[in-house]
Coordinates of all heavy atoms in Angstrom, one line a residue:
M1 N -4.5 -4.6 -13.1 CA -3.3 -3.9 -13.6 C -2.2 -4.8 -13.8 O -2.0 -5.7 -12.9 CB -3.0 -2.7 -12.6 CG -2.1 -1.7 -13.3 SD -1.8 -0.2 -12.2 CE -3.3 0.7 -12.4
P2 N -1.4 -4.8 -14.9 CA -0.3 -5.7 -15.1 C 0.8 -5.5 -14.0 O 1.0 -4.5 -13.5 CB 0.2 -5.3 -16.4 CG -0.6 -4.3 -17.0 CD -1.6 -3.8 -16.0
Q3 N 1.4 -6.7 -13.7 CA 2.5 -6.6 -12.8 C 3.8 -6.9 -13.5 O 3.9 -7.7 -14.5 CB 2.4 -7.7 -11.7 CG 1.2 -7.4 -10.7 CD 1.1 -8.4 -9.6 OE1 1.8 -9.4 -9.6 NE2 0.4 -8.0 -8.6
Y4 N 4.9 -6.2 -13.0 CA 6.2 -6.4 -13.6 C 7.2 -6.7 -12.6 O 7.2 -6.1 -11.4 CB 6.6 -5.1 -14.3 CG 5.8 -4.7 -15.5 CD1 4.6 -4.0 -15.3 CD2 6.1 -5.1 -16.8 CE1 3.7 -3.7 -16.4 CE2 5.2 -4.9 -17.8 CZ 4.1 -4.2 -17.7 OH 3.3 -3.9 -18.7
A5 N 8.2 -7.6 -12.9 CA 9.3 -7.8 -12.0 C 10.4 -6.9 -12.4 O 10.8 -6.9 -13.6 CB 9.7 -9.3 -12.0
I6 N 11.0 -6.2 -11.5 CA 12.1 -5.3 -11.8 C 13.3 -6.0 -11.1 O 13.4 -6.0 -9.9 CB 11.9 -3.9 -11.3 CG1 10.7 -3.3 -12.1 CG2 13.2 -3.0 -11.5 CD1 10.3 -1.9 -11.6
L7 N 14.2 -6.6 -11.9 CA 15.2 -7.4 -11.3 C 16.6 -6.6 -11.4 O 17.0 -6.1 -12.4 CB 15.4 -8.7 -12.2 CG 14.1 -9.5 -12.5 CD1 14.4 -10.6 -13.5 CD2 13.6 -10.0 -11.2
I8 N 17.2 -6.5 -10.2 CA 18.4 -5.6 -10.0 C 19.6 -6.5 -10.0 O 19.7 -7.5 -9.2 CB 18.2 -4.8 -8.7 CG1 17.0 -4.0 -8.8 CG2 19.5 -4.0 -8.5 CD1 16.5 -3.4 -7.5
Y9 N 20.5 -6.2 -10.9 CA 21.8 -6.9 -11.0 C 22.9 -5.9 -10.6 O 22.9 -4.8 -11.2 CB 22.1 -7.5 -12.4 CG 21.1 -8.6 -12.7 CD1 19.9 -8.3 -13.3 CD2 21.4 -9.9 -12.4 CE1 18.9 -9.3 -13.6 CE2 20.4 -10.9 -12.7 CZ 19.2 -10.6 -13.3 OH 18.3 -11.6 -13.6
E10 N 23.8 -6.2 -9.7 CA 24.7 -5.3 -9.2 C 26.0 -6.0 -8.8 O 26.0 -7.2 -8.5 CB 24.1 -4.5 -8.0 CG 24.8 -3.3 -7.6 CD 24.9 -2.2 -8.6 OE1 24.0 -1.4 -8.8 OE2 25.9 -2.2 -9.3
K11 N 27.1 -5.2 -8.8 CA 28.3 -5.7 -8.3 C 28.1 -6.0 -6.8 O 27.4 -5.3 -6.1 CB 29.4 -4.7 -8.3 CG 30.7 -5.1 -7.8 CD 31.7 -4.0 -7.9 CE 33.0 -4.3 -7.2 NZ 34.0 -3.2 -7.2
E12 N 28.5 -7.2 -6.4 CA 28.1 -7.7 -5.0 C 29.1 -7.0 -4.0 O 30.3 -7.2 -4.0 CB 28.2 -9.2 -5.0 CG 27.5 -9.8 -3.8 CD 27.3 -11.2 -4.0 OE1 28.3 -12.0 -3.8 OE2 26.2 -11.7 -4.2
I13 N 28.5 -6.3 -3.1 CA 29.2 -5.7 -2.0 C 28.3 -5.8 -0.7 O 27.1 -5.9 -0.8 CB 29.6 -4.2 -2.2 CG1 28.3 -3.3 -2.3 CG2 30.5 -4.0 -3.4 CD1 28.6 -1.8 -2.3
P14 N 28.9 -5.9 0.5 CA 28.1 -6.0 1.7 C 27.2 -4.8 1.8 O 27.6 -3.7 1.4 CB 29.2 -6.0 2.8 CG 30.4 -6.5 2.1 CD 30.4 -5.9 0.7
V15 N 26.0 -5.0 2.3 CA 25.0 -4.0 2.5 C 25.6 -2.8 3.3 O 25.4 -1.7 2.9 CB 23.7 -4.5 3.2 CG1 22.8 -3.4 3.6 CG2 23.1 -5.6 2.4
E16 N 26.4 -3.1 4.3 CA 26.9 -2.0 5.1 C 28.0 -1.2 4.3 O 28.3 0.0 4.7 CB 27.6 -2.5 6.4 CG 28.7 -3.5 6.2 CD 28.2 -5.0 6.2 OE1 27.0 -5.2 6.1 OE2 29.1 -5.9 6.1
D17 N 28.4 -1.7 3.2 CA 29.4 -0.9 2.4 C 28.7 -0.1 1.2 O 29.4 0.5 0.4 CB 30.4 -1.9 1.8 CG 31.4 -2.4 2.9 OD1 31.4 -1.9 4.0 OD2 32.1 -3.4 2.6
I18 N 27.4 -0.2 1.1 CA 26.7 0.6 0.1 C 26.9 2.0 0.4 O 26.5 2.4 1.6 CB 25.3 0.2 -0.1 CG1 25.2 -1.3 -0.5 CG2 24.5 1.1 -1.0 CD1 23.7 -1.9 -0.5
P19 N 27.3 2.9 -0.5 CA 27.5 4.3 -0.2 C 26.2 5.0 0.3 O 25.1 4.6 -0.2 CB 28.0 4.9 -1.5 CG 28.5 3.8 -2.3 CD 27.7 2.6 -1.8
A20 N 26.3 5.9 1.2 CA 25.2 6.6 1.8 C 24.3 7.3 0.8 O 23.1 7.2 0.8 CB 25.6 7.6 2.9
D21 N 25.0 7.9 -0.2 CA 24.2 8.5 -1.3 C 23.3 7.6 -2.1 O 22.3 7.9 -2.5 CB 25.1 9.4 -2.2 CG 26.1 8.6 -3.0 OD1 26.6 7.6 -2.4 OD2 26.4 9.0 -4.1
V22 N 23.8 6.3 -2.3 CA 23.0 5.3 -3.0 C 21.8 4.9 -2.2 O 20.7 4.8 -2.7 CB 23.9 4.1 -3.4 CG1 23.1 3.0 -4.0 CG2 25.0 4.5 -4.4
M23 N 22.1 4.7 -0.9 CA 21.0 4.4 0.0 C 19.9 5.5 0.1 O 18.7 5.2 0.0 CB 21.5 4.1 1.4 CG 22.3 2.8 1.5 SD 21.5 1.3 1.0 CE 20.6 1.0 2.5
E24 N 20.4 6.7 0.1 CA 19.4 7.9 0.2 C 18.7 8.0 -1.2 O 17.5 8.2 -1.2 CB 20.2 9.2 0.4 CG 20.7 9.2 1.8 CD 21.7 10.4 2.1 OE1 21.9 11.2 1.2 OE2 22.4 10.3 3.1
A25 N 19.4 7.7 -2.3 CA 18.7 7.7 -3.6 C 17.7 6.7 -3.7 O 16.6 6.9 -4.3 CB 19.7 7.6 -4.7
N26 N 17.9 5.5 -3.1 CA 16.9 4.4 -3.1 C 15.7 4.8 -2.3 O 14.5 4.6 -2.8 CB 17.6 3.1 -2.5 CG 16.7 1.9 -2.8 OD1 16.3 1.6 -3.9 ND2 16.3 1.3 -1.7
I27 N 15.9 5.4 -1.1 CA 14.7 5.9 -0.4 C 13.9 6.9 -1.1 O 12.7 6.9 -1.1 CB 15.2 6.4 1.0 CG1 15.7 5.2 1.8 CG2 14.1 7.1 1.8 CD1 16.5 5.6 3.1
A28 N 14.6 7.8 -1.7 CA 14.0 8.9 -2.5 C 13.2 8.3 -3.7 O 12.1 8.7 -4.0 CB 15.0 9.9 -3.0
A29 N 13.8 7.3 -4.3 CA 13.1 6.6 -5.5 C 11.8 6.0 -5.0 O 10.8 6.0 -5.7 CB 14.0 5.6 -6.1
E30 N 11.8 5.3 -3.8 CA 10.6 4.7 -3.3 C 9.5 5.7 -3.2 O 8.3 5.4 -3.5 CB 10.9 3.9 -2.1 CG 11.8 2.7 -2.3 CD 12.2 2.0 -1.0 OE1 11.5 2.1 0.0 OE2 13.2 1.3 -1.0
G31 N 9.8 6.9 -2.7 CA 8.8 7.9 -2.5 C 8.3 8.4 -3.9 O 7.0 8.6 -4.0
K32 N 9.1 8.5 -4.8 CA 8.7 8.9 -6.2 C 7.8 7.9 -6.8 O 6.9 8.2 -7.6 CB 9.9 9.2 -7.1 CG 10.7 10.5 -6.7 CD 12.0 10.7 -7.5 CE 12.8 11.8 -6.9 NZ 14.1 11.9 -7.7
I33 N 8.2 6.6 -6.6 CA 7.4 5.5 -7.2 C 6.0 5.5 -6.6 O 5.0 5.4 -7.4 CB 8.1 4.2 -6.9 CG1 9.4 4.0 -7.7 CG2 7.2 3.0 -7.2 CD1 10.3 2.9 -7.3
K34 N 5.9 5.7 -5.3 CA 4.5 5.8 -4.7 C 3.8 7.0 -5.2 O 2.5 6.9 -5.5 CB 4.6 5.8 -3.2 CG 5.1 4.4 -2.7 CD 5.2 4.3 -1.2 CE 5.8 2.9 -0.8 NZ 6.2 2.9 0.5
A35 N 4.5 8.1 -5.4 CA 3.8 9.3 -5.9 C 3.3 9.2 -7.3 O 2.3 9.8 -7.7 CB 4.8 10.5 -5.8
M36 N 3.9 8.2 -8.1 CA 3.4 7.9 -9.5 C 2.1 7.1 -9.5 O 1.6 6.8 -10.5 CB 4.5 7.1 -10.2 CG 5.7 7.9 -10.5 SD 7.1 6.8 -11.2 CE 6.3 6.3 -12.7
G37 N 1.7 6.7 -8.3 CA 0.5 5.8 -8.2 C 0.8 4.3 -8.5 O -0.1 3.6 -8.7
V38 N 2.1 4.0 -8.4 CA 2.5 2.6 -8.7 C 2.4 1.8 -7.4 O 2.9 2.3 -6.3 CB 3.9 2.5 -9.3 CG1 4.4 1.1 -9.3 CG2 3.9 3.2 -10.7
R39 N 1.8 0.7 -7.4 CA 1.8 -0.2 -6.1 C 3.0 -1.1 -6.2 O 3.1 -1.8 -7.1 CB 0.5 -1.0 -6.1 CG 0.3 -1.7 -4.8 CD -1.0 -2.3 -4.6 NE -1.2 -3.6 -5.2 CZ -1.0 -4.8 -4.6 NH1 -0.5 -4.8 -3.4 NH2 -1.2 -5.9 -5.2
V40 N 3.8 -1.0 -5.1 CA 4.9 -1.9 -4.9 C 4.3 -3.2 -4.2 O 3.9 -3.1 -3.1 CB 6.0 -1.3 -4.1 CG1 7.1 -2.3 -3.9 CG2 6.6 -0.1 -4.8
V41 N 4.3 -4.3 -4.9 CA 3.7 -5.5 -4.4 C 4.7 -6.2 -3.5 O 4.3 -6.7 -2.5 CB 3.3 -6.5 -5.6 CG1 2.8 -7.8 -5.0 CG2 2.2 -5.8 -6.5
A42 N 6.0 -6.2 -3.9 CA 7.1 -6.8 -3.1 C 8.4 -6.1 -3.4 O 8.6 -5.6 -4.5 CB 7.1 -8.3 -3.5
E43 N 9.2 -6.0 -2.4 CA 10.5 -5.5 -2.5 C 11.4 -6.4 -1.7 O 11.2 -6.6 -0.5 CB 10.6 -4.0 -2.0 CG 11.9 -3.4 -2.0 CD 12.0 -2.0 -1.4 OE1 10.9 -1.5 -1.1 OE2 13.1 -1.5 -1.4
Q44 N 12.5 -7.0 -2.4 CA 13.3 -7.9 -1.7 C 14.7 -7.7 -2.0 O 15.1 -7.5 -3.2 CB 12.9 -9.3 -2.0 CG 11.4 -9.6 -1.7 CD 10.8 -10.7 -2.5 OE1 11.1 -10.9 -3.6 NE2 9.9 -11.5 -1.9
A45 N 15.6 -7.8 -1.0 CA 17.1 -7.8 -1.2 C 17.5 -9.2 -0.9 O 17.1 -9.8 0.1 CB 17.7 -6.7 -0.3
L46 N 18.5 -9.7 -1.7 CA 18.9 -11.0 -1.5 C 20.2 -11.1 -0.7 O 21.0 -10.1 -0.8 CB 19.2 -11.7 -2.9 CG 18.0 -11.8 -3.8 CD1 18.4 -12.4 -5.1 CD2 16.9 -12.7 -3.1
Q47 N 20.5 -12.2 0.0 CA 21.7 -12.4 0.7 C 22.8 -12.6 -0.4 O 22.5 -12.8 -1.6 CB 21.6 -13.7 1.5 CG 20.6 -13.5 2.7 CD 21.2 -12.6 3.8 OE1 22.4 -12.5 4.0 NE2 20.3 -12.0 4.5
P48 N 24.1 -12.5 -0.1 CA 25.1 -12.7 -1.1 C 25.0 -14.0 -1.9 O 24.5 -15.0 -1.4 CB 26.4 -12.7 -0.3 CG 26.1 -12.0 1.0 CD 24.6 -12.3 1.3
A49 N 25.5 -14.0 -3.1 CA 25.4 -15.2 -4.0 C 26.2 -16.4 -3.3 O 25.8 -17.5 -3.6 CB 26.1 -14.8 -5.3
S50 N 27.1 -16.1 -2.5 CA 27.9 -17.2 -1.8 C 26.9 -18.0 -0.9 O 27.2 -19.2 -0.6 CB 29.0 -16.6 -1.0 OG 28.5 -15.8 0.0
T51 N 25.7 -17.5 -0.6 CA 24.8 -18.3 0.2 C 23.8 -19.1 -0.6 O 23.0 -19.8 -0.1 CB 24.0 -17.3 1.1 OG1 23.1 -16.5 0.3 CG2 24.9 -16.4 2.0
A52 N 23.9 -19.0 -1.9 CA 23.0 -19.7 -2.8 C 23.2 -21.2 -2.8 O 24.3 -21.6 -2.6 CB 23.1 -19.1 -4.2
T53 N 22.1 -21.9 -3.1 CA 22.2 -23.3 -3.4 C 21.6 -23.5 -4.8 O 20.5 -23.0 -5.0 CB 21.5 -24.1 -2.3 OG1 22.1 -23.9 -1.0 CG2 21.5 -25.6 -2.6
T54 N 22.3 -24.2 -5.6 CA 21.7 -24.4 -7.0 C 21.4 -25.9 -7.2 O 22.2 -26.8 -6.8 CB 22.9 -24.0 -8.0 OG1 23.2 -22.6 -7.7 CG2 22.4 -24.2 -9.4
I55 N 20.3 -26.2 -7.9 CA 19.9 -27.5 -8.2 C 19.9 -27.6 -9.7 O 19.3 -26.8 -10.4 CB 18.5 -27.9 -7.7 CG1 18.5 -27.7 -6.1 CG2 18.1 -29.3 -8.1 CD1 17.1 -27.9 -5.5
R56 N 20.7 -28.5 -10.3 CA 20.8 -28.6 -11.7 C 20.1 -29.9 -12.2 O 19.6 -30.7 -11.4 CB 22.3 -28.7 -12.1 CG 23.1 -27.4 -11.7 CD 24.5 -27.5 -12.2 NE 25.2 -26.3 -11.8 CZ 25.3 -25.1 -12.4 NH1 24.6 -25.0 -13.6 NH2 25.9 -24.1 -12.0
K57 N 20.1 -30.0 -13.5 CA 19.4 -31.2 -14.1 C 19.9 -32.5 -13.5 O 21.0 -32.6 -13.2 CB 19.7 -31.2 -15.6 CG 18.9 -32.3 -16.4 CD 19.2 -32.2 -17.9 CE 18.5 -33.3 -18.6 NZ 18.7 -33.2 -20.0
G58 N 19.0 -33.4 -13.2 CA 19.3 -34.6 -12.6 C 19.3 -34.5 -11.1 O 19.6 -35.5 -10.4
G59 N 18.9 -33.3 -10.5 CA 18.8 -33.2 -9.1 C 20.1 -33.0 -8.4 O 20.2 -33.1 -7.2
V60 N 21.2 -32.6 -9.1 CA 22.5 -32.4 -8.5 C 22.4 -31.0 -7.8 O 22.1 -30.0 -8.3 CB 23.6 -32.4 -9.6 CG1 25.0 -32.0 -8.9 CG2 23.7 -33.7 -10.3
V61 N 22.7 -31.1 -6.5 CA 22.7 -29.9 -5.6 C 24.1 -29.4 -5.4 O 25.0 -30.2 -5.0 CB 22.1 -30.2 -4.3 CG1 22.1 -29.0 -3.4 CG2 20.6 -30.7 -4.5
T62 N 24.4 -28.1 -5.6 CA 25.7 -27.6 -5.4 C 25.6 -26.3 -4.6 O 24.6 -25.6 -4.6 CB 26.5 -27.2 -6.7 OG1 25.7 -26.3 -7.5 CG2 26.7 -28.5 -7.5
D63 N 26.6 -25.9 -3.9 CA 26.7 -24.7 -3.2 C 27.1 -23.6 -4.1 O 27.9 -23.8 -5.0 CB 27.7 -24.7 -2.0 CG 27.3 -25.6 -0.9 OD1 26.1 -25.8 -0.7 OD2 28.1 -26.1 -0.2
G64 N 26.5 -22.4 -4.0 CA 26.9 -21.3 -4.8 C 25.9 -20.9 -5.9 O 24.9 -21.7 -6.1
P65 N 26.1 -19.8 -6.6 CA 25.1 -19.4 -7.6 C 25.1 -20.2 -8.8 O 26.1 -21.0 -9.1 CB 25.6 -18.0 -7.8 CG 27.1 -18.0 -7.6 CD 27.2 -19.0 -6.4
F66 N 24.1 -20.0 -9.6 CA 24.0 -20.8 -10.9 C 25.1 -20.4 -11.9 O 25.7 -21.2 -12.5 CB 22.6 -20.4 -11.5 CG 22.3 -21.2 -12.8 CD1 22.1 -22.6 -12.7 CD2 22.4 -20.7 -14.0 CE1 21.8 -23.3 -13.8 CE2 22.1 -21.4 -15.2 CZ 21.8 -22.8 -15.0
L67 N 25.5 -19.1 -12.0 CA 26.5 -18.7 -12.9 C 27.6 -17.8 -12.2 O 27.2 -17.1 -11.2 CB 25.9 -17.8 -14.0 CG 24.9 -18.4 -14.9 CD1 24.3 -17.4 -15.8 CD2 25.6 -19.5 -15.8
E68 N 28.8 -17.9 -12.7 CA 29.8 -17.0 -12.2 C 29.8 -15.7 -13.1 O 30.0 -15.8 -14.2 CB 31.2 -17.6 -12.2 CG 31.3 -18.8 -11.3 CD 31.3 -18.4 -9.8 OE1 31.8 -17.3 -9.5 OE2 30.9 -19.3 -9.0
T69 N 29.4 -14.6 -12.5 CA 29.3 -13.4 -13.3 C 29.9 -12.2 -12.5 O 30.1 -12.3 -11.3 CB 27.8 -13.0 -13.6 OG1 27.1 -12.8 -12.4 CG2 27.2 -14.1 -14.4
K70 N 30.1 -11.1 -13.2 CA 30.6 -9.9 -12.6 C 29.6 -9.3 -11.7 O 29.9 -8.8 -10.6 CB 31.1 -8.9 -13.7 CG 31.9 -7.7 -13.1 CD 32.5 -6.9 -14.2 CE 31.5 -6.3 -15.1 NZ 32.1 -5.3 -16.1
E71 N 28.3 -9.3 -12.2 CA 27.2 -8.8 -11.3 C 26.4 -9.9 -10.8 O 26.4 -11.0 -11.5 CB 26.3 -7.8 -12.1 CG 26.9 -6.5 -12.5 CD 27.5 -6.5 -13.9 OE1 27.2 -7.4 -14.7 OE2 28.2 -5.6 -14.2
A72 N 25.8 -9.8 -9.7 CA 24.9 -10.8 -9.1 C 23.5 -10.3 -9.0 O 23.3 -9.1 -9.0 CB 25.4 -11.2 -7.7
F73 N 22.5 -11.2 -9.1 CA 21.1 -10.8 -8.8 C 21.0 -10.4 -7.4 O 21.2 -11.2 -6.5 CB 20.2 -12.0 -9.1 CG 18.8 -11.8 -8.9 CD1 18.2 -10.6 -9.3 CD2 18.0 -12.8 -8.3 CE1 16.8 -10.4 -9.1 CE2 16.7 -12.6 -8.2 CZ 16.1 -11.4 -8.6
A74 N 20.8 -9.1 -7.2 CA 20.9 -8.5 -5.9 C 19.5 -8.4 -5.2 O 19.4 -8.4 -4.0 CB 21.5 -7.1 -5.9
G75 N 18.5 -8.3 -6.0 CA 17.1 -8.1 -5.4 C 16.1 -7.8 -6.5 O 16.4 -7.7 -7.6
N76 N 14.9 -7.6 -6.0 CA 13.8 -7.3 -7.0 C 12.7 -6.5 -6.3 O 12.5 -6.4 -5.1 CB 13.3 -8.6 -7.6 CG 12.5 -9.4 -6.6 OD1 13.1 -10.0 -5.7 ND2 11.2 -9.4 -6.7
F77 N 11.9 -5.9 -7.2 CA 10.7 -5.3 -6.9 C 9.6 -6.0 -7.8 O 9.9 -6.3 -8.9 CB 10.6 -3.8 -7.3 CG 11.4 -2.8 -6.4 CD1 12.8 -2.7 -6.6 CD2 10.8 -2.1 -5.5 CE1 13.5 -1.8 -5.8 CE2 11.5 -1.2 -4.7 CZ 12.9 -1.1 -4.9
V78 N 8.4 -6.1 -7.3 CA 7.3 -6.5 -8.1 C 6.3 -5.3 -8.0 O 6.0 -4.9 -6.9 CB 6.6 -7.8 -7.6 CG1 5.3 -8.0 -8.5 CG2 7.6 -8.9 -7.8
V79 N 6.0 -4.7 -9.1 CA 5.2 -3.5 -9.1 C 4.0 -3.7 -10.0 O 4.0 -4.5 -11.0 CB 6.0 -2.2 -9.6 CG1 7.1 -1.9 -8.6 CG2 6.6 -2.4 -11.0
E80 N 2.9 -3.0 -9.7 CA 1.7 -2.9 -10.6 C 1.8 -1.6 -11.3 O 1.7 -0.5 -10.7 CB 0.4 -3.0 -9.8 CG 0.2 -4.4 -9.3 CD -1.2 -4.6 -8.6 OE1 -1.8 -3.6 -8.3 OE2 -1.5 -5.7 -8.3
C81 N 1.9 -1.6 -12.6 CA 2.0 -0.5 -13.5 C 0.9 -0.5 -14.5 O 0.5 -1.6 -14.9 CB 3.3 -0.3 -14.1 SG 4.7 -0.2 -12.9
R82 N 0.6 0.6 -15.1 CA -0.5 0.6 -16.2 C 0.1 -0.1 -17.4 O -0.7 -0.7 -18.2 CB -1.0 2.0 -16.5 CG 0.0 3.0 -17.0 CD -0.6 4.3 -17.4 NE 0.5 5.2 -17.8 CZ 1.2 6.0 -17.0 NH1 1.0 6.0 -15.7 NH2 2.2 6.7 -17.5
D83 N 1.4 0.0 -17.7 CA 2.0 -0.6 -18.9 C 3.5 -0.7 -18.7 O 4.1 -0.2 -17.7 CB 1.6 0.2 -20.1 CG 2.0 1.7 -20.1 OD1 2.9 2.1 -19.3 OD2 1.3 2.5 -20.8
L84 N 4.2 -1.2 -19.7 CA 5.6 -1.3 -19.7 C 6.3 0.0 -19.6 O 7.3 0.2 -18.9 CB 6.1 -2.1 -20.9 CG 7.7 -2.3 -21.1 CD1 8.3 -3.0 -19.9 CD2 8.0 -3.0 -22.3
D85 N 5.8 1.0 -20.3 CA 6.4 2.3 -20.2 C 6.5 2.9 -18.8 O 7.5 3.4 -18.4 CB 5.7 3.3 -21.1 CG 5.8 3.1 -22.6 OD1 6.9 2.4 -23.0 OD2 4.9 3.4 -23.4
Q86 N 5.4 2.7 -18.0 CA 5.5 3.1 -16.6 C 6.4 2.3 -15.8 O 7.1 2.8 -15.0 CB 4.1 3.1 -16.0 CG 4.0 3.7 -14.6 CD 2.7 3.8 -14.0 OE1 1.9 2.8 -14.1 NE2 2.4 4.9 -13.4
A87 N 6.5 1.0 -16.1 CA 7.5 0.1 -15.4 C 8.9 0.6 -15.7 O 9.8 0.6 -14.8 CB 7.3 -1.4 -15.8
I88 N 9.2 1.0 -16.9 CA 10.5 1.5 -17.3 C 10.8 2.9 -16.5 O 11.9 3.1 -16.0 CB 10.6 1.8 -18.8 CG1 10.6 0.4 -19.6 CG2 11.9 2.6 -19.2 CD1 10.5 0.5 -21.0
E89 N 9.8 3.7 -16.4 CA 9.9 4.9 -15.6 C 10.3 4.6 -14.1 O 11.2 5.2 -13.6 CB 8.6 5.7 -15.6 CG 8.3 6.4 -16.9 CD 6.9 7.1 -16.7 OE1 6.7 7.9 -15.7 OE2 6.1 7.0 -17.6
V90 N 9.7 3.6 -13.6 CA 10.0 3.2 -12.2 C 11.4 2.7 -12.1 O 12.2 3.1 -11.2 CB 9.0 2.0 -11.8 CG1 9.5 1.4 -10.5 CG2 7.6 2.6 -11.6
A91 N 11.8 1.8 -13.0 CA 13.1 1.2 -13.0 C 14.2 2.3 -13.2 O 15.3 2.2 -12.5 CB 13.3 0.2 -14.1
K92 N 14.0 3.3 -13.9 CA 14.9 4.4 -14.1 C 15.2 5.2 -12.8 O 16.2 5.9 -12.7 CB 14.5 5.3 -15.3 CG 14.7 4.7 -16.6 CD 14.3 5.7 -17.7 CE 14.6 5.2 -19.1 NZ 14.2 6.2 -20.1
L93 N 14.2 5.2 -11.9 CA 14.4 5.9 -10.7 C 15.3 5.2 -9.7 O 15.9 5.8 -8.8 CB 13.0 6.0 -10.0 CG 12.0 6.9 -10.7 CD1 10.6 6.8 -10.0 CD2 12.5 8.4 -10.7
L94 N 15.5 3.9 -9.9 CA 16.3 3.1 -9.0 C 17.8 3.4 -9.2 O 18.3 3.3 -10.3 CB 16.0 1.6 -9.1 CG 14.6 1.2 -8.8 CD1 14.3 -0.2 -9.2 CD2 14.2 1.6 -7.4
P95 N 18.6 3.6 -8.1 CA 20.0 3.9 -8.3 C 20.8 2.6 -8.7 O 20.6 1.6 -8.1 CB 20.5 4.4 -6.9 CG 19.5 3.8 -6.0 CD 18.2 3.7 -6.7
I96 N 21.7 2.8 -9.6 CA 22.5 1.7 -10.1 C 24.0 2.1 -9.9 O 24.4 3.2 -10.3 CB 22.3 1.3 -11.6 CG1 20.9 0.9 -11.8 CG2 23.3 0.3 -12.0 CD1 20.5 -0.4 -11.1
M97 N 24.8 1.3 -9.2 CA 26.2 1.6 -9.0 C 27.0 1.2 -10.2 O 27.7 2.0 -10.8 CB 26.7 1.0 -7.7 CG 26.1 1.6 -6.5 SD 26.8 0.8 -5.0 CE 26.0 -0.8 -5.0
E98 N 26.9 -0.1 -10.6 CA 27.7 -0.6 -11.7 C 27.0 -1.6 -12.5 O 27.5 -2.1 -13.5 CB 29.0 -1.2 -11.2 CG 30.0 -0.3 -10.5 CD 31.3 -0.9 -10.1 OE1 31.7 -1.9 -10.8 OE2 31.9 -0.5 -9.2
G99 N 25.8 -2.1 -12.1 CA 25.1 -3.1 -12.7 C 24.0 -2.7 -13.7 O 24.2 -1.7 -14.4
G100 N 22.9 -3.4 -13.7 CA 21.8 -3.1 -14.6 C 20.5 -3.6 -14.0 O 20.5 -4.3 -13.0
I101 N 19.5 -3.3 -14.7 CA 18.1 -3.7 -14.3 C 17.4 -4.3 -15.5 O 17.5 -3.9 -16.6 CB 17.3 -2.4 -13.8 CG1 17.9 -1.9 -12.5 CG2 15.8 -2.8 -13.7 CD1 17.2 -0.6 -12.0
E102 N 16.7 -5.4 -15.1 CA 15.9 -6.1 -16.1 C 14.5 -6.0 -15.7 O 14.1 -6.2 -14.5 CB 16.4 -7.6 -16.2 CG 15.6 -8.5 -17.1 CD 16.1 -9.9 -17.1 OE1 17.1 -10.2 -16.5 OE2 15.4 -10.7 -17.7
I103 N 13.6 -5.8 -16.7 CA 12.1 -5.7 -16.4 C 11.4 -6.8 -17.1 O 11.7 -7.0 -18.3 CB 11.5 -4.4 -16.9 CG1 12.3 -3.2 -16.2 CG2 10.0 -4.3 -16.6 CD1 12.0 -1.9 -16.8
R104 N 10.6 -7.6 -16.4 CA 9.8 -8.6 -17.1 C 8.4 -8.6 -16.6 O 8.1 -8.5 -15.4 CB 10.4 -10.0 -16.7 CG 11.7 -10.3 -17.3 CD 11.9 -11.8 -17.1 NE 13.3 -12.2 -17.4 CZ 13.8 -13.4 -17.3 NH1 13.0 -14.3 -17.0 NH2 15.1 -13.6 -17.6
P105 N 7.5 -8.7 -17.6 CA 6.1 -8.8 -17.2 C 5.8 -10.1 -16.5 O 6.5 -11.2 -16.9 CB 5.3 -8.6 -18.5 CG 6.3 -8.9 -19.6 CD 7.7 -8.7 -19.0
L106 N 4.9 -10.2 -15.5 CA 4.6 -11.4 -14.9 C 3.4 -12.0 -15.5 O 2.5 -11.3 -16.0 CB 4.3 -11.2 -13.4 CG 5.5 -10.6 -12.6 CD1 5.1 -10.4 -11.2 CD2 6.7 -11.6 -12.7
H107 N 3.3 -13.3 -15.6 CA 2.1 -14.0 -16.0 C 1.0 -13.8 -15.0 O 1.2 -13.8 -13.8 CB 2.3 -15.5 -16.2 CG 3.1 -15.9 -17.4 ND1 2.5 -15.8 -18.7 CD2 4.3 -16.3 -17.6 CE1 3.4 -16.2 -19.5 NE2 4.5 -16.5 -18.9
E108 N -0.2 -13.6 -15.5 CA -1.4 -13.6 -14.6 C -1.8 -15.0 -14.4 O -2.1 -15.7 -15.4 CB -2.5 -12.7 -15.2 CG -2.1 -11.3 -15.4 CD -3.3 -10.4 -15.9 OE1 -4.5 -10.8 -15.6 OE2 -3.0 -9.4 -16.5
M109 N -1.8 -15.4 -13.1 CA -2.1 -16.8 -12.8 C -3.6 -16.9 -12.4 O -4.1 -16.1 -11.7 CB -1.2 -17.4 -11.8 CG 0.3 -17.3 -12.1 SD 0.7 -18.2 -13.6 CE 1.5 -19.6 -12.9

């Protein structure tokens, strides 16, 4: 079954400041995703962008994220879905406060 990365971009706020209704919606979404028969291969939340280390061409290492943006890459899911349409259904279940979600198929290695 194909795998898709669901990449979550969101305004960066501390985890403890995420509204309770958003956290509850996320838990509810996870239940709905499993009920769809979708296998969640991985689910990861990232530390703040300020903890990032970036390596650029030439091996130059800098503190901080690759880009300065309004939204930051906050975390991701890797899911096994029958097709892109089902991956879109899964992504639509995830609560978004102000950001967006990107879906990408993974290469089969």
